[in-house]
Amino acid sequence: MGSEKDLSVSEQPVSSQADVDIIEQEKARNHGDAQARLESSSPPPIEEDAHWRPGFVARFPWLGLGCLLTVLLCGIGCLITLILANGVAKYHWGNLAPNVIVNLLNSVANLCFGIAITNGIAIAWWRKTLAGATIKQLNRSWKFSSSIKDVVLGAKYFNFIALAALAAKLTIIDGTLLQKAFSQEILPLDLGPNNNVTGYSNMTIPNTGRISGVEGESGLLAKNFNDALKIWFQGGGQLPNAYSGCEGTCYLRVPGAGFEFDCSEPEQTAIDAGTQTFDAYSVLQNVARGYNVTDFDDLDCSTIGNGTLPPISLAVCEKEVAVRTAPLFHVGFFPVFSGTNTSADAWSYVQMTINYTISTDEPNANVSCPGTKYSQTCILRPAVVEYPVKIQNASSLITGMSLAVDGRHYNNQTFRNFNSTLKQQNGFSIKSYSDIFENPLGGERTRLGGIAQGLQTYLGGDAVMHYGAQGYHLEQTGNAATYLSNDLGVQTGGLANSANLCGFQYADPMMPTDFGGWAEKDPSHRFDVPALVGKINQIMFALALDISDEDDDKDVAAGTLVRPAWVYQDAIHYKTNFAFMWGALASMLFCIICVLPVYYGYWQLGRPVTLGPFEIAAAFRAPDLHHPTNAPIDTLIKEVGGRKVRFGEVLDGSDKGKMAVAEAGLVASLSGNEGADRSSWRPHTYAGNRVRVVVVVARRFMHDWPVTRNSPSFIESASLVFEKTLESDQMLREVIIRKASENAKV
């Protein structure tokens, strides 16, 4: 190579255009020579290229199809979680709630969907390239993969890539459906048994009244019983909570004073109260014709005509007066005392009598309403009854006691029915008899006399019907009106003159009553009207608890009980909407099916592919990404990744003046802010170290290679070129390194 003098001259800056042209010509020549050396040995045929290996196993898309399998497993996991969570309390799930699990699985599924769709679209795009397509078609398919707008606007070019891209947007549906599949409700949480519920219960009937007359009837109610009746009546069967130890809702059985109901079978009698009362009214009109009698209420036949009625007319009058009023309903209570009889079977009791009728108006007869009269008698024998009790103590606002059974362990639909075999209500049991022998006289206290009077006051009632000048008239007293079950045209219509209707229908007091469609709306039967036996049980339970806390005779220590109870607490329970759940699973399966087609033909490709810009640019033979093999993009980046490039105005070569990506040293940099117009772009000063005659030195040692390869001047020149060359000029530096490597082999 040249002398030290040549080197010093060569370091002078190049300022003329001719010098620059010479340098560029030399650079081009050097580049061509380097390329020739790089490609001196032809690459092997593609069939033998280790980097290009098509095949079902070699190119199996483990990541993409594995992600689709993961999506399916996540969907099944969501399905199982929703099914297991339905009806289960939040308490049992601990800190990891099922909705968190579902959201986590759905997030994993969406992530895997993204990976699977990206891999599948890349396979489909490269297969399309492998089969041959126009650049416009390839560009359109690539845009489908990244923009839903292009999928919609390019609908007529719809393909599997567009379908997979659309599936990526549809994955939001299953997330929404899974959220809708979850809801919560407040239900009792089963906490199991609790043995610490404590309270008072009297096993015997206390004094409830005072006899005021010689006939043995109670005239006064004891204060404790009178107030207990008021509390029961005001609460509708709901009593204040007198027990401790229950937190939440507790079901337990409490023994206390009550009755056994020994009832006869109901007797049925055919009647026609309408005809009976109408005929009686007509006869009395004939008997009293000519006399100033317009109302037959409380008629005294002996007074008609100042007692001048013939004997036959008098007898007829008295007979018709007796049947002019027809009893339709009756519930009554009266005590039967043992008196002086002290035999074991002569105990005192309360007798309950029941009569009710069911009649129907005949369509073509204004005065006929045939029907049936039912009569029944029950003996209420004092006994110790085991009451099924429900205690609510959820908060200061929700507290109380009532007679109820646990619907989860007992059929509460039949709870309120009277069981003639058990002689009690279903769910109750008779533990023992508590016979009472009493013969109270005037002024003495009584145990059963007050109960009979209280039951008659709050539960008794009568209803009678008669015919008069204004038609049929119904008179009801006490609680009779609560058992009338039809309205005789008040709402439903009927005869124009409802006064001619007499088909009154009364419900059986021994049966509970629900309100039509409420049986379905009220599965717990909270709003049923209890039967007569149920109401008596409620009153007797209130008396046994001394709910008024006014029984001065009670023995608190003897009557205090510690009872086992089954405890529930109101808690959040998960509820699954199965329609939304199946919809979410169907959405996942649909998206999986939409993605699968893009994986078809994967075996035709010979290496892993992506839609990365450098991989596509390398496939289009971009000069700065040129590589002599078919290696994957990762290998390519390892080889050429150190080259520094820049986007800007190319200053030399065939692309001079274009805005492109090229070696950093051949591209003008941006001196102003980004986004400035093209006039703001200008090249760096193409002088100084970058354009020094370092290239000339390189040309010298390349041309003088055969002579100088072993000379010290070669090493010096090579070192100078290497040091003076910018790191951005990777091509020139690679030539130097390669030459030095070949020199070492010689």
Side-chain angles (χ1 to χ4, degrees):
M1 290 189 63
S3 63
E4 293 292 326
K5 182 178 180 180
D6 293 330
L7 287 174
S8 62
V9 173
S10 67
E11 292 179 356
Q12 296 178 1
V14 179
S15 58
S16 66
Q17 183 62 39
D19 291 336
V20 173
D21 292 341
I22 293 173
I23 292 173
E24 293 305 321
Q25 291 173 7
E26 293 296 333
K27 182 178 178 182
R29 188 162 47 250
N30 294 339
H31 184 271
D33 182 67
Q35 290 295 99
R37 290 180 178 275
L38 287 173
E39 301 173 1
S40 58
S41 57
S42 301
I46 194 167
E47 294 83 0
E48 302 175 4
D49 190 346
H51 294 297
W52 185 264
R53 296 178 56 196
F56 287 95
V57 177
R59 295 278 68 84
F60 189 82
W62 296 102
L63 180 60
L65 293 183
C67 285
L68 286 182
L69 178 61
T70 303
V71 171
L72 180 60
L73 293 177
C74 287
I76 295 174
C78 292
L79 181 72
I80 294 174
T81 303
L82 285 167
I83 292 175
L84 293 178
N86 186 43
V88 178
K90 183 179 180 181
Y91 168 84
H92 293 303
W93 283 90
N95 295 327
L96 190 59
N99 56 323
V100 175
I101 296 176
V102 169
N103 288 336
L104 180 62
L105 291 174
N106 186 54
S107 298
V108 173
N110 290 337
L111 177 62
C112 290
F113 252 131
I115 297 174
I117 291 171
T118 300
N119 281 263
I121 288 177
I123 290 174
W125 190 89
W126 282 100
R127 279 192 62 250
K128 191 177 186 70
T129 307
L130 193 65
T134 65
I135 292 179
K136 184 176 181 180
Q137 292 172 334
L138 294 176
N139 180 62
R140 183 187 301 120
S141 294
W142 183 87
K143 291 172 70 176
F144 283 167
S145 69
S146 59
S147 173
I148 190 65
K149 179 190 72 173
D150 292 299
V151 173
V152 175
L153 297 180
K156 65 178 180 177
Y157 303 107
F158 198 82
N159 55 22
F160 286 144
I161 293 178
L163 180 62
L166 185 61
K169 307 303 179 184
L170 294 179
T171 53
I172 192 175
I173 296 177
D174 53 69
T176 303
L177 292 176
L178 286 174
Q179 290 181 358
K180 294 291 291 183
F182 255 115
S183 60
Q184 297 178 347
E185 58 183 346
I186 303 297
L187 293 174
L189 172 61
D190 190 343
L191 298 180
N194 178 4
N195 295 320
N196 297 319
V197 178
T198 306
Y200 171 81
S201 179
N202 196 344
M203 303 298 170
T204 60
I205 298 176
N207 290 310
T208 58
R210 187 180 299 277
I211 300 298
S212 61
V214 294
E215 297 180 356
E217 294 182 359
S218 175
L220 298 172
L221 292 179
K223 182 173 178 55
N224 63 307
F225 183 49
N226 192 17
D227 289 345
L229 286 168
K230 295 175 183 177
I231 293 172
W232 165 81
F233 182 76
Q234 292 294 332
Q238 185 75 14
L239 304 175
N241 180 23
Y243 279 28
S244 62
C246 174
E247 297 295 333
T249 300
C250 302
Y251 290 92
L252 64 157
R253 305 187 72 82
V254 177
F259 288 117
E260 174 197 76
F261 296 85
D262 188 3
C263 299
S264 63
E265 289 295 323
E267 296 182 0
Q268 301 182 26
T269 305
I271 63 169
D272 189 342
T275 300
Q276 170 192 323
T277 55
F278 177 80
D279 291 347
Y281 176 78
S282 300
V283 171
L284 290 176
Q285 274 190 320
N286 292 330
V287 170
R289 183 173 296 147
Y291 299 96
N292 186 23
V293 178
T294 58
D295 188 359
F296 299 106
D297 291 339
D298 302 324
L299 175 64
D300 184 359
C301 293
S302 63
T303 62
I304 298 179
N306 296 322
T308 59
L309 281 176
I312 296 179
S313 297
L314 180 61
V316 171
C317 176
E318 291 176 346
K319 175 185 176 182
E320 298 304 326
V321 166
V323 298
R324 177 178 176 267
T325 299
L328 301 182
F329 180 86
H330 169 73
V331 171
F333 301 87
F334 63 91
V336 177
F337 298 114
S338 58
T340 58
N341 190 345
T342 57
S343 60
D345 57 351
W347 28 263
S348 302
Y349 59 90
V350 175
Q351 180 168 306
M352 176 175 67
T353 55
I354 299 173
N355 298 313
Y356 66 96
T357 58
I358 300 176
S359 301
T360 304
D361 287 291
E362 290 190 342
N364 299 320
N366 289 340
V367 296
S368 178
C369 46
T372 304
K373 179 181 179 180
Y374 298 85
S375 302
Q376 190 174 19
T377 300
C378 296
I379 294 176
L380 278 57
R381 182 179 180 179
V384 176
V385 178
E386 190 170 67
Y387 295 97
V389 179
K390 174 183 177 182
I391 300 176
Q392 288 181 290
N393 191 29
S395 67
S396 59
L397 299 178
I398 305 176
T399 180
M401 304 178 71
S402 61
L403 298 182
V405 293
D406 185 356
R408 299 192 178 193
H409 301 99
Y410 192 89
N411 185 1
N412 61 359
Q413 295 185 11
T414 62
F415 160 63
R416 291 172 174 79
N417 294 343
F418 174 69
N419 190 317
S420 59
T421 302
L422 298 176
K423 298 183 179 181
Q424 247 296 347
Q425 191 176 348
N426 282 327
F428 293 68
S429 61
I430 304 298
K431 304 299 292 182
S432 62
Y433 294 115
S434 181
D435 294 332
I436 295 176
F437 298 89
E438 62 176 348
N439 182 29
L441 301 177
E444 294 183 350
R445 295 197 300 176
T446 175
R447 296 161 70 183
L448 294 182
I451 289 179
Q453 181 184 352
L455 296 181
Q456 181 65 41
T457 302
Y458 284 89
L459 302 179
D462 289 277
V464 297
M465 181 186 73
H466 63 262
Y467 191 87
Q470 303 300 322
Y472 289 105
H473 178 62
L474 179 67
E475 295 180 358
Q476 300 182 104
T477 59
N479 289 274
T482 63
Y483 292 97
L484 184 62
S485 59
N486 64 337
D487 56 21
L488 290 185
V490 174
Q491 292 179 342
T492 60
L495 296 177
N497 185 3
S498 60
N500 292 325
L501 299 176
C502 58
F504 296 102
Q505 299 178 2
Y506 283 88
D508 182 0
M510 295 295 286
M511 294 296 295
T513 305
D514 58 32
F515 298 100
W518 276 102
E520 295 181 0
K521 300 176 183 178
D522 180 31
S524 62
H525 296 264
R526 293 171 52 202
F527 299 103
D528 286 356
V529 177
L532 193 58
V533 172
K535 295 178 181 179
I536 296 173
N537 280 332
Q538 291 175 352
I539 292 174
M540 294 306 297
F541 180 64
L543 179 62
L545 294 181
D546 185 26
I547 203 66
S548 64
D549 196 23
E550 295 172 339
D551 183 6
D552 297 332
D553 298 329
K554 68 181 179 182
D555 187 341
V556 177
T560 300
L561 304 172
V562 178
R563 306 295 296 175
W566 203 272
V567 183
Y568 298 90
Q569 287 184 354
D570 288 343
I572 296 175
H573 285 66
Y574 296 107
K575 183 178 181 181
T576 300
N577 188 313
F578 288 97
F580 286 118
M581 181 191 73
W582 292 116
L585 184 63
S587 174
M588 284 187 176
L589 293 176
F590 176 77
C591 290
I592 291 174
I593 293 173
C594 290
V595 174
L596 282 175
V598 296
Y599 283 90
Y600 178 78
Y602 71 85
W603 54 87
Q604 298 173 359
L605 300 175
R607 69 183 181 208
V609 293
T610 68
L611 288 182
F614 292 104
E615 183 170 1
I616 296 176
F620 276 90
R621 299 176 300 170
D624 290 311
L625 295 175
H626 182 70
H627 196 268
T629 69
N630 296 306
I633 186 63
D634 294 339
T635 303
L636 176 62
I637 293 300
K638 289 180 181 178
E639 295 292 337
V640 302
R643 296 178 184 174
K644 187 173 182 180
V645 295
R646 177 182 294 164
F647 177 74
E649 183 179 1
V650 179
L651 300 175
D652 67 336
S654 59
D655 294 326
K656 182 177 180 180
K658 292 183 179 179
M659 299 294 293
V661 176
E663 294 180 38
L666 300 179
V667 176
S669 62
L670 180 63
S671 61
N673 295 327
E674 279 189 291
D677 58 15
R678 190 173 183 277
S679 61
S680 66
W681 290 74
R682 64 176 185 270
H684 284 296
T685 303
Y686 202 52
N689 292 337
R690 176 64 184 88
V691 199
R692 291 179 187 274
V693 293
V694 169
V695 177
V696 178
V697 175
R699 181 188 61 182
R700 286 182 181 178
F701 85 76
M702 290 181 68
H703 285 181
D704 298 339
W705 170 261
V707 179
T708 62
R709 63 178 182 270
N710 295 319
S711 65
S713 61
F714 164 74
I715 303 300
E716 182 180 355
S717 299
S719 299
L720 179 61
V721 172
F722 189 84
E723 292 173 359
K724 296 298 184 178
T725 304
L726 297 179
E727 291 184 2
S728 61
D729 198 347
Q730 293 293 329
M731 181 192 72
L732 188 55
R733 299 193 70 170
E734 288 176 5
V735 171
I736 299 171
I737 295 171
R738 192 173 294 108
K739 291 295 184 179
S741 176
E742 292 176 358
N743 180 48
K745 296 178 182 178
V746 175

